Amino acid sequence: MSRLSRAATLAALTAPLLGLAGLGLHVRRNMGASRAQLRRVTGRSPNAINGIFANTEPGLPRAKASFWMLLNMLRSRTTEGVPAGPVPLAPLERTPEPAALAVTWLGHACVLLEVDGSRVLVDPVWSEYATPVPRLGPRRLHPPVAPLSALGEIDLVLLTHDHYDHLDRPTVLRLARDTQAVFVGPLGVGAHLRAWGIPGHRVVERDWDDVVQVRGLTLTCLETRHFSGRGIRRNTTLWAAWKVAGARHSVYLGGDTGPSRVHARTGAEHGPFDLTVLPIGAYADLWPDVHTDPEQAVAAHRDLRGQVLLPIHWATFNLGFHPWDEPAARVRRAAAAQGVLLALPRPGRRIDLSEGPATYATALPTEPWWPTPR
C-alpha cells in the first residue's frame, strides 16, 4: 500500500472516531456537573443520604405492564400524543415595566412571571429537543413563542430541577450571556450551572425550607414529590417547588410534582397564593407519583389555597401516553366542578392579574383553543 493510500485509510478511520469523541464530549457537557462536584454541594444536606435525595412519601402502586402493552402505548404516543395541526401561538406582549402580578405561559413548564416589579423566567427551554443527544429524544411540538432576546431584561431565572425539559444548557448559557439575571435553583442544580461556566456570584441554590432574598423578592424552596437526574444515576440533585413573594403578591411554582400531602402542608404554612402554576400533563399509570394528572392538579391547587390556577407541562413535548389535548379538557372539567378559577392561555399570551379578582372574569382565558389529536 502506498503512503498516500495509507494516509487516506487512516483519515477514513479517524474521522468517525473523532466525530464520536466530539459527540461524547457534547453529551457529557450537557449532563452538567460531575458526581464529585455534586457531592461537594449536596453531601451536607439533611435531605440526602450519601449524596442521594429521596421523597419523604412512599411510592404509589404502579401498573404492571407487559411488553405488548408498552409497545401499544408507544405506538399511540406517535398518533394520539401529537396535535392535529400547528399549535396556535399568541404574539409575545412586551411591557415597559413589569406588572404587580402577571404571567405569560411560554410552553411546557416555562413561564415568564411578573411579581411586584420583578421579572422571573421559570424553567426556560428554547432547544428543539429535550435531551443531551442532538436530534434524539422528545422534540418540540411547536416552535418557541419568540426568540429569547424578545423577553428583554430578566431579574431571575428560577429552576425547579435538572431534567432536560426544565434545565436546558444552551438556553441558560444564552441567558447568562445576554442578561444580568441571577440563577436560582435547588441544591445541585447550581453545580451544573457553575460547571457550564456561569459565575458563582450569579448562582444561588437552596435546600427545602430555605428562604433567600434575591432582587427584591423572597424565594422559599419547598418540598415537592418528583425525582432528578441527567445521567444514569438518579436523585443526585434536589427537586423543588418555589414560593415567589413580593411586597404584595405571592406565587406558587410547582415545577414537576406528583400527588402529595405536602401541598396541604405548604398551603397551611405558606399560603394563600394569588397564583399557582402546576403540571397537568405527562401522567401515566406507570409513574403515578411523578406527575399530577389534571384532577390531582386541581386538588393540589385547593390544598395550596391558591386563587388562580395556571396549568403547565403539556402541549410542547410529548412525554406521556395520553391524547395531546386530554390534559386541557380534563382540567377544565375538574376546575369547573370544584369552582376553581382557571387560566388556560395559548402559549405566549400574557395574563395580567394586577387588578385582582374583580377583573378575572375578563382576564382569564378558559375556552378551548387547541387542535384535537389526529
Side-chain angles (χ1 to χ4, degrees):
M1 182 182 292
S2 68
R3 182 178 298 177
L4 185 60
S5 297
R6 286 197 299 271
T9 301
L10 181 61
L13 293 173
T14 302
L17 293 177
L18 290 175
L20 286 174
L23 176 61
L25 181 60
H26 176 81
V27 171
R28 182 63 194 88
R29 284 175 176 167
N30 275 343
M31 286 184 177
S34 67
R35 185 178 176 185
Q37 289 171 316
L38 292 172
R39 284 292 297 271
R40 283 196 290 271
V41 176
T42 64
R44 296 185 297 272
S45 171
N47 296 304
I49 298 176
N50 296 323
I52 301 298
F53 294 93
N55 291 302
T56 59
E57 298 173 76
L60 295 173
R62 298 175 180 241
K64 294 181 179 180
S66 67
F67 170 80
W68 294 111
M69 175 184 172
L70 289 173
L71 183 61
N72 288 330
M73 291 171 72
L74 289 171
R75 285 173 177 168
S76 68
R77 172 182 278 184
T78 62
T79 54
E80 293 183 336
V82 297
V87 177
L89 305 178
L92 185 69
E93 180 183 347
R94 286 280 300 272
T95 57
E97 299 294 333
L101 182 62
V103 62
T104 305
W105 179 47
L106 297 170
H108 197 56
C110 180
V111 298
L112 179 60
L113 186 65
E114 302 167 49
V115 179
D116 293 329
S118 296
R119 284 192 177 95
V120 181
L121 185 61
V122 184
D123 286 353
V125 176
W126 256 248
S127 291
E128 186 174 2
Y129 291 85
T131 171
V133 184
R135 306 188 67 81
L136 182 67
R139 186 180 185 181
R140 298 184 69 96
L141 298 173
H142 65 80
V145 167
L148 267 177
S149 58
L151 300 182
E153 188 56 43
I154 303 296
D155 295 294
L156 297 175
V157 176
L158 190 59
L159 304 164
T160 61
H161 62 296
D162 70 359
H163 284 156
Y164 292 100
D165 59 321
H166 295 255
L167 176 62
D168 180 51
R169 176 175 171 260
T171 301
V172 299
L173 288 181
R174 286 184 57 194
L175 288 164
R177 182 193 67 194
D178 297 340
T179 75
Q180 298 301 312
V182 175
F183 294 80
V184 182
L187 279 182
V189 172
H192 291 317
L193 303 181
R194 290 188 293 272
W196 295 333
I198 297 179
H201 70 273
R202 295 181 63 184
V203 176
V204 176
E205 53 189 330
R206 290 295 185 267
D207 208 337
W208 286 340
D209 297 325
D210 287 345
V211 182
V212 61
Q213 308 281 335
V214 185
R215 297 283 176 90
L217 296 173
T218 301
L219 308 176
T220 307
C221 184
L222 296 167
E223 179 185 351
T224 191
R225 188 180 195 177
H226 196 53
F227 69 105
S228 68
R230 294 176 73 82
I232 297 175
R233 288 180 61 83
R234 284 188 171 188
N235 302 339
T236 55
T237 62
L238 188 62
W239 50 97
W242 290 93
K243 176 182 179 179
V244 178
R248 296 173 50 208
H249 298 95
S250 66
V251 177
Y252 178 87
L253 298 163
D256 274 358
T257 181
S260 174
R261 59 175 178 260
V262 76
H263 297 130
R265 187 168 73 246
T266 297
E269 295 178 1
H270 299 282
F273 295 95
D274 299 289
L275 172 69
T276 70
V277 181
L278 289 164
I280 63 166
Y283 47 84
D285 291 340
L286 298 178
W287 50 79
D289 46 16
V290 170
H291 295 140
T292 48
D293 65 27
E295 293 79 15
Q296 291 165 343
V298 169
H301 169 82
R302 289 170 57 87
D303 285 344
L304 289 161
R305 300 169 63 203
Q307 191 161 46
V308 175
L309 168 61
L310 174 66
I312 60 166
H313 209 266
W314 75 285
T316 304
F317 293 106
N318 186 8
L319 303 176
F321 300 106
H322 50 70
W324 183 81
D325 65 339
E326 182 180 278
R330 284 175 56 176
V331 80
R332 286 185 79 232
R333 291 194 296 267
Q338 296 294 322
V340 166
L341 290 171
L342 183 68
L344 266 179
R346 66 184 63 195
R349 177 170 174 178
R350 179 175 180 267
I351 303 172
D352 194 331
L353 303 172
S354 301
E355 299 302 319
T359 64
Y360 290 168
T362 56
L364 298 179
T366 59
E367 294 304 312
W369 50 261
W370 44 88
T372 56
R374 294 186 179 94

